[in-house]
Amino acid sequence: MGKKADGKVLAQNKKASHDYFIEDTYEAGMVLTGTEIKSLRNGRANIGDAFATIRNGEIHIHNMHISPFEQGNRSNPDDPTRTRKLLMHKVQINKLLGLSKQDGYSIVPLKIYVRNGYAKLLIGLGKGKKQYDKRDSAAKKDAQRDIQRALREKQKIAR
């Protein structure tokens, strides 16, 4: 039986690229209980306010909201924002720990997706943006959008 690589994005943190310079990304598995995976597959997750911490050589995600499954039974978790353990190699965790100890760095969840039937969380090492950096990023994005619009208009006229 072959592996199925969906790669379907279930939840995304769009605020992360606005608030942080993402310098490096890592893929982590998640320890889920009961019917959480069914809620995830239905797109009932939110990682907008989530953050990750490293304690005792283990990495945990906090404030990630997974709504209880409607048709769930007693194995439904009580707290939808409970702290969940992430699964990563010890070498990766130690590297992240060293880098996140530097001033201004945070471990930020970027998106949740399914790969080979398992729920994965893409986390990034982000350095916080200052207000003027955010304005600069927005200005660059607007300029790029204007350039693309002008090119499309030029192509329409050429036809």
Side-chain angles (χ1 to χ4, degrees):
M1 198 155 86
K3 287 188 176 181
K4 55 182 188 297
D6 323 351
K8 179 184 173 199
V9 175
L10 304 173
Q12 197 162 4
N13 187 355
K14 295 179 180 174
K15 213 167 62 169
S17 62
H18 182 264
D19 293 339
Y20 299 94
F21 293 113
I22 304 298
E23 298 188 0
D24 205 1
T25 59
Y26 299 90
E27 182 180 78
M30 291 187 286
V31 177
L32 301 173
T33 61
T35 54
E36 286 180 327
I37 186 65
K38 292 183 178 188
S39 290
L40 269 179
R41 287 182 187 274
N42 287 341
R44 311 262 302 150
N46 182 4
I47 55 173
D49 299 328
F51 62 95
T53 58
I54 300 174
R55 268 186 269 123
N56 301 331
E58 295 180 340
I59 186 164
H60 296 272
I61 183 101
H62 304 271
N63 286 350
M64 180 173 71
H65 188 278
I66 299 177
S67 298
F69 189 61
E70 291 87 11
Q71 291 85 34
N73 54 10
R74 58 193 155 103
S75 67
N76 256 353
D78 294 334
D79 183 17
T81 59
R82 71 180 180 84
T83 301
R84 293 169 178 89
K85 184 178 173 183
L86 298 180
L87 305 172
M88 292 178 72
H89 293 285
K90 183 72 76 185
V91 174
Q92 290 177 319
I93 293 174
N94 291 336
K95 184 178 177 185
L96 261 176
L97 179 63
L99 292 171
S100 66
K101 290 282 186 200
Q102 296 175 15
D103 214 21
Y105 282 92
S106 300
I107 303 169
V108 184
L110 301 175
K111 62 179 157 182
I112 300 173
Y113 54 94
V114 175
R115 173 177 286 162
N116 297 334
Y118 294 102
K120 302 288 185 179
L121 178 70
L122 186 71
I123 57 175
L125 181 70
K127 185 167 177 64
K129 284 186 182 179
K130 303 279 190 254
Q131 189 64 37
Y132 58 85
D133 289 330
K134 293 178 187 179
R135 283 194 295 266
D136 188 44
S137 295
K140 285 180 182 175
K141 194 183 286 185
D142 288 344
Q144 192 64 32
R145 195 178 304 123
D146 290 342
I147 290 170
Q148 292 300 323
R149 187 178 299 128
L151 286 173
R152 278 196 306 271
E153 291 296 323
K154 192 171 185 176
Q155 286 178 345
K156 283 182 182 178
I157 294 171
R159 288 183 184 181

